[in-house]
Amino acid sequence: FSDPNGVTLTQGQIFRLDLDSALGDGTRVQLPHPEIIEASEIGHVLLIDDGKVKLVVAGKGQGYLDCNVEVEGKISNRKGVNTPDSVLDISPLTPKDRSDLEYMLGIGVDWVALSFVQRPEDMREIHALIDEKLPSG
């Protein structure tokens, strides 16, 4: 955002999330995750900053989402975006997660949890990594 303190969105306002790297303002901001824009459909909910702000996709175009603010609040740089209605075609495992998993399996952890599971393939992926890295015995 051009204002480091962010902006306050009001209920009923239309707010755009797009791929434009220009600093955000009270009408739009960059969402540097094209996979979220691609997976979102009209009517899908987007929760900003752990659900403090609720947006509903009202329009969609090439590289942007126009959203209706349903629950108002302040948003600022580097806040999370949750997509409860959209299945993202990405792995829930980051490269750091993979490295951490390998280390933890090497020291003999008792159990492993995986956040952001959206598809059965996500579980198959972590099971395969565990099977591959699990020390013998």
Side-chain angles (χ1 to χ4, degrees):
F1 286 94
S2 55
D3 181 343
N5 295 315
V7 298
T8 299
L9 303 181
T10 57
Q11 186 173 12
Q13 172 185 354
I14 296 296
F15 189 74
R16 178 169 282 193
L17 303 173
D18 59 42
L19 299 175
D20 184 350
S21 62
L23 294 176
D25 57 27
T27 62
R28 59 142 311 270
V29 73
Q30 179 188 25
L31 177 62
H33 298 284
E35 64 277 3
I36 292 176
I37 292 173
E38 180 66 30
S40 296
E41 298 294 338
I42 293 173
H44 282 194
V45 170
L46 300 173
L47 301 172
I48 313 297
D49 192 13
D50 296 323
K52 293 180 181 122
V53 175
K54 180 180 178 183
L55 306 177
V56 176
V57 178
K60 178 178 179 174
Q62 185 65 31
Y64 73 88
L65 300 171
D66 284 335
C67 302
N68 184 45
V69 178
E70 287 208 352
V71 175
E72 61 186 41
K74 183 178 174 182
I75 62 173
S76 57
N77 294 326
R78 306 188 57 80
K79 296 300 179 189
V81 177
N82 295 323
T83 60
D85 296 331
S86 305
V87 176
L88 304 180
D89 191 24
I90 58 173
S91 172
L93 292 165
T94 66
K96 183 179 182 319
D97 293 333
R98 291 169 186 275
S99 174
D100 291 348
L101 177 63
E102 183 172 357
Y103 171 76
M104 297 307 288
L105 292 172
I107 65 169
V109 295
D110 292 328
W111 59 270
V112 173
L114 179 62
S115 299
F116 310 113
V117 174
Q118 293 191 353
R119 311 164 296 161
E121 294 83 16
D122 298 339
M123 294 305 298
R124 286 193 282 276
E125 179 181 3
I126 196 165
H127 284 154
L129 289 170
I130 291 169
D131 290 345
E132 176 185 314
K133 304 290 183 186
L134 198 61
S136 59

